[in-house]
Amino acid sequence: MRIDDRLIHGQIVTAWISDSKAGEILVADDMAAKDPTQQMLLKLAVPAKIKLTIVSVEKAAELLKTDQSDTKVLLIVRNPKTALDLFERGFYIESVNVGNISNARSTVGRKRLLPYIYVEPEDIANLTAIAEKNIRLDVRAVPNDKSIDGLALISK
């Protein structure tokens, strides 16, 4: 599982799909699920051999609860709030990769923690709540980067 406000982009295609050995990408995002243009753009970015499913957070929670397949899935959400929403709906995973939280779309301003991680108070609250569910926050841009403990990072 990865938090990345860009959803699908070059790092996902060139690094994260192969690292996770995923045969499918599941994008859990209410905005993308309602926007045919964004869906088309996301589909264009995904290699032909990889299945792409774009659904609302509610639908993703249902799919994750009922999945019985052996297919490895790379789950991508846009922000910490969406990740927490999935966890509060009963989904559990040991670790979530915090990939990219950009400096865009902020009404209160964001604090730079790393060149690719900018947070506002709501992000910190949501990431903390995720960590309190015994889910490790693995901060890395690409799989070969050294993992940074997200809880320690946001505590600074």
Side-chain angles (χ1 to χ4, degrees), residues 90-102:
F91 175 64
Y92 178 80
I93 195 166
E94 291 179 5
S95 175
V96 60
N97 170 244
V98 183
N100 191 76
I101 303 173
S102 71

Side-chain angles (χ1 to χ4, degrees), residues 8-22:
I8 300 172
H9 53 87
Q11 290 173 343
I12 298 294
V13 174
T14 62
W16 287 104
I17 291 173
S18 63
D19 183 72
S20 65
K21 298 176 179 48

Side-chain angles (χ1 to χ4, degrees), residues 28-59:
D29 186 74
D30 291 340
M31 289 186 338
K34 295 176 187 174
D35 184 345
T37 302
Q38 189 171 10
Q39 290 174 26
M40 179 187 66
L41 293 171
L42 292 171
K43 287 176 186 175
L44 288 172
V46 175
K49 65 180 190 220
I50 303 296
K51 179 182 176 186
L52 173 62
T53 304
I54 304 167
V55 295
S56 68
V57 176
E58 181 178 356
K59 180 69 175 173

Side-chain angles (χ1 to χ4, degrees), residues 17 26 44 52 62 68-69 84 99-100 105-106 131 144 156:
I17 291 173
L26 173 60
L44 288 172
L52 173 62
E62 291 172 22
Q68 297 293 315
S69 76
L84 181 59
N100 191 76
R105 294 184 291 269
S106 177
N144 292 338
K156 291 181 179 181

